[in-house]
């Protein structure tokens, strides 16, 4: 099997590019970068982006694995859940990981191991090979937070996908690592100052983290912490008249240095700026993908408002996605002050997006590169994924428009089993 995957004929699609195919590891890389390109992917607690390192790997593999027997949607779901579960367990072995990260970007740490675990499950590796895959993956893990808010940050998710898959392949080929690497300070403990691994319970008493998963879905493409700011600003804006002149804007938020960007100069910095999100919501009444275009970031009206923002750090406002809040106070030139607070934004796991809004977000993003029938095909397929006999069907939709693909899409949409 591994020789077939590594052969020159083995290739997987690049989403939205029907004429471009790459070896599975590189397809996983490119698609992983795409997932995180706008910082629009899901966020978990403790903080990481769990899906981006895992899903591109499984879809790339689904195209190159032997089709007899076919890999089902249920197989994909199981491997996906394994990849997410591994990430969550590793982060819960560290108190440091429960807060917004300061040193390492989590998707390139736990995401790499989640990718390796998902690939190992999908490839059917035995227990020994799974341990080897995880050991190898640790040597691929890690990326510094200094590259947050730059064009390089999406590479962290792409590399987590690629390197996790590569680790599983190398384990399958016989490469060996330290099988105790997850249990020692000199191993995975190098990424967390207070890493304390624990023995997992017996399978019959095992409680999945996914049974009470804390997944947040973003309504606009920016750092998750800014979503509290956006909702607080939207509440304050209701008091303002078009003729009002703002004198001062106070944001009471956690002290998260890499999201403190008083005057962002690029779209990536704007996505990681408490100040920019507050001012954009006050000025426009909403935030979208277009809000981060350079022309919007450089607007004189935004720059004028940014100059009036002051950050305060209440001691009870910890940098933790489960407990943080944003309180915003606006003082007008006439002396009036309005204050609003957001404890839970719409899209947080305590206040999740409804299905209609979730599907609308997907349509808005995917319709820029995929035809509408492919978009609807993906939605229908995902909603019935556990009944899908061949999970590679998803890549038929994702690769983008072509005559052959269009015919296949029409066939699926007319199939009653997915209606």
């Amino acid at each position: 099997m591994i020789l077939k995957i590594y052969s020159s004929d083995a290739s997987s699609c690049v989403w939205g590019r029907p004429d471009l195919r790459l070896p599975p590891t590189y397809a996983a890389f490119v698609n992983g970068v795409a997932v995180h390109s706008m910082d629009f992917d899901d966020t978990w607690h403790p903080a990481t982006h769990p899906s981006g390192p895992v899903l591109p790997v499984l879809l790339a593999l689904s195209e190159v694995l032997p089709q007899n027997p076919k890999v089902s949607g249920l197989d994909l779901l199981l491997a996906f859940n394994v990849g997410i579960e591994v990430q969550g367990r590793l982060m819960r072995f560290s108190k440091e990981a429960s807060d917004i990260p300061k040193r390492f970007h989590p998707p390139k740490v736990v995401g790499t191991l989640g990718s390796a675990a998902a690939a190992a499950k999908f490839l059917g590796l035995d227990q020994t090979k799974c341990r080897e895959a995880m050991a190898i993956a640790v040597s691929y893990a890690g990326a510094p937070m200094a590259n947050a808010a730059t064009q390089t940050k999406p590479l962290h998710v792409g590399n987590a996908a690629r390197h996790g898959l590569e680790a599983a392949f190398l384990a399958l080929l016989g490469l060996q690592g330290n099988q105790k690497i997850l249990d020692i300070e000199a191993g995975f403990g190098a990424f967390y100052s207070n890493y304390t691994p624990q023995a997992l319970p017996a399978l019959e008493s095992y409680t999945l983290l996914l049974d009470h998963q804390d997944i947040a879905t973003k309504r606009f493409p920016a750092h998750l912490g800014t979503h509290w700011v956006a909702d607080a600003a939207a509440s304050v804006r209701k008091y303002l008249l078009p003729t009002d002149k703002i004198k001062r804007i106070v944001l009471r938020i956690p002290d998260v240095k890499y999201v403190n960007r008083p005057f962002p100069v690029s779209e990536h910095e704007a996505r990681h700026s408490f100040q920019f999100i507050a001012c954009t919501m006050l000025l426009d009444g909403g935030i979208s993908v277009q809000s981060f275009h350079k022309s919007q970031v450089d607007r004189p009206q935004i720059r004028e408002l940014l100059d009036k923002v002051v950050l305060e750090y209440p001691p009870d406002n910890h940098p933790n996605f489960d407990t943080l809040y944003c309180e915003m106070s606006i003082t007008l030139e006439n002396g009036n002050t309005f204050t609003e607070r957001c404890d839970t934004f719409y899209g947080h796991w305590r206040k999740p997006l409804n299905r209609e809004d979730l599907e609308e977000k997907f349509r808005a993003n995917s319709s820029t590169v995929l035809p509408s029938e492919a978009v609807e095909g993906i939605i229908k397929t995902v909603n019935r994924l556990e009944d899908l006999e061949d999970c590679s069907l998803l890549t038929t939709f994702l690769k983008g428009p072509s005559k052959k693909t269009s015919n296949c899409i029409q066939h699926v949409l007319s199939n009653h089993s997915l209606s």
Side-chain angles (χ1 to χ4, degrees):
M1 177 176 66
I2 192 67
L3 293 177
K4 179 184 184 301
I5 294 173
Y6 270 141
S7 75
S8 59
D9 295 330
S11 63
S12 303
C13 76
V14 173
W15 303 340
R17 299 289 298 275
D19 299 322
L20 179 58
R21 300 186 65 83
L22 296 171
T25 51
Y26 289 98
F29 167 74
V30 173
N31 293 330
V33 170
V35 167
H36 197 57
S37 60
M38 294 192 297
D39 211 331
F40 214 176
D41 42 330
D42 54 358
T43 303
W44 209 10
H45 173 70
T48 194
H49 301 284
S51 300
V54 174
L55 188 60
V57 166
L58 300 178
L59 292 179
L61 280 176
S62 73
E63 293 187 81
V64 296
L65 288 177
Q67 291 299 296
N68 188 17
K70 293 180 178 179
V71 183
S72 70
L74 200 57
D75 293 326
L76 186 146
L77 279 173
L78 180 56
F80 179 80
N81 287 345
V82 166
I84 305 301
E85 183 77 12
V86 163
Q87 295 178 68
R89 287 291 172 185
L90 288 172
M91 286 188 295
R92 280 164 174 78
F93 293 157
S94 167
K95 291 182 180 179
E96 178 186 23
S98 65
D99 290 337
I100 297 173
K102 295 179 180 179
R103 296 188 301 149
F104 296 103
H105 193 206
K108 190 59 181 81
V109 180
V110 296
T112 305
L113 276 81
S115 166
K121 176 62 180 175
F122 216 48
L123 291 167
L125 271 62
D126 62 28
Q127 189 176 71
T128 299
K129 295 292 186 184
C130 284
R131 287 199 185 105
E132 302 292 9
M134 299 296 280
I136 297 164
V138 174
S139 282
Y140 278 122
M145 286 304 303
N147 268 328
T150 73
Q151 291 179 333
T152 296
K153 188 187 179 193
L155 296 184
H156 299 173
V157 173
N159 276 324
R162 171 192 167 187
H163 290 149
L165 179 53
E166 222 164 64
F169 283 164
L170 291 171
L172 196 55
L173 287 168
L175 189 66
Q176 296 179 344
N178 187 333
Q179 292 195 12
K180 295 183 178 180
I181 203 165
L182 299 182
D183 302 322
I184 56 177
E185 184 178 345
F188 193 76
F191 295 107
Y192 295 107
S193 59
N194 53 12
Y195 180 69
T196 308
Q198 303 164 23
L200 295 179
L203 191 60
E204 57 270 15
S205 60
Y206 191 88
T207 300
L208 290 172
L209 296 174
L210 290 171
D211 286 343
H212 46 87
Q213 63 183 11
D214 295 338
I215 294 289
T217 305
K218 300 177 181 180
R219 303 190 323 278
F220 57 86
H223 184 274
L224 193 72
T226 66
H227 287 64
W228 279 270
V229 173
D231 278 19
S235 296
V236 171
R237 193 176 188 270
K238 296 174 183 177
Y239 300 113
L240 306 181
L241 299 173
T243 55
D244 286 333
K245 299 294 184 182
I246 294 175
K247 180 179 180 180
R248 179 180 168 92
I249 303 168
V250 178
L251 299 179
R252 299 180 183 95
I253 52 174
D255 186 5
V256 183
K257 289 182 171 52
Y258 80 96
V259 197
N260 175 6
R261 298 180 186 273
F263 297 98
V265 297
S266 70
E267 66 171 281
H268 295 283
E269 289 189 358
R271 297 183 202 282
H272 294 75
S273 169
F274 287 130
Q275 296 92 331
F276 178 82
I277 295 301
C279 294
T280 298
M281 180 59 80
L282 289 172
L283 188 64
D284 302 334
I287 302 174
S288 66
V289 172
Q290 289 72 32
S291 300
F292 301 94
H293 291 176
K294 193 71 165 64
S295 60
Q296 298 297 102
V297 174
D298 292 339
R299 285 181 294 169
Q301 304 97 310
I302 284 287
R303 295 285 145 177
E304 182 182 348
L305 278 181
L306 286 170
D307 202 36
K308 301 176 181 182
V309 179
V310 175
L311 303 186
E312 294 181 358
Y313 308 118
D316 68 331
N317 201 354
H318 303 292
N320 181 298
F321 287 147
D322 198 40
T323 62
L324 76 81
Y325 64 86
C326 172
E327 186 175 271
M328 172 183 281
S329 293
I330 301 289
T331 301
L332 305 180
E333 289 187 353
N334 62 15
N336 290 337
T337 297
F338 304 99
T339 300
E340 287 288 341
R341 171 169 163 156
C342 175
D343 292 294
T344 304
F345 65 87
Y346 180 47
H348 191 275
W349 46 86
R350 290 192 297 269
K351 195 176 180 180
L353 295 188
N354 61 41
R355 179 171 290 277
E356 181 179 289
D357 288 342
L358 188 61
E359 290 183 359
E360 186 53 39
K361 171 185 173 178
F362 177 74
R363 288 188 180 98
N365 285 335
S366 57
S367 62
T368 60
V369 293
L370 296 175
S372 60
E373 61 267 25
V375 173
E376 297 308 315
I378 292 170
I379 292 173
K380 283 190 174 187
T381 303
V382 168
N383 285 339
R384 295 287 302 278
L385 193 56
E386 65 273 17
D387 299 325
L388 192 65
E389 292 184 0
D390 181 3
C391 68
S392 66
L393 175 64
L394 273 174
T395 60
T396 300
F397 296 124
L398 285 165
K399 68 179 62 172
S402 70
K403 185 174 181 179
K404 181 178 179 182
T405 302
S406 296
N407 290 339
C408 183
I409 289 172
Q410 291 300 329
H411 173 73
V412 171
L413 292 177
S414 63
N415 186 336
H416 178 70
S417 66
L418 287 177
S419 62

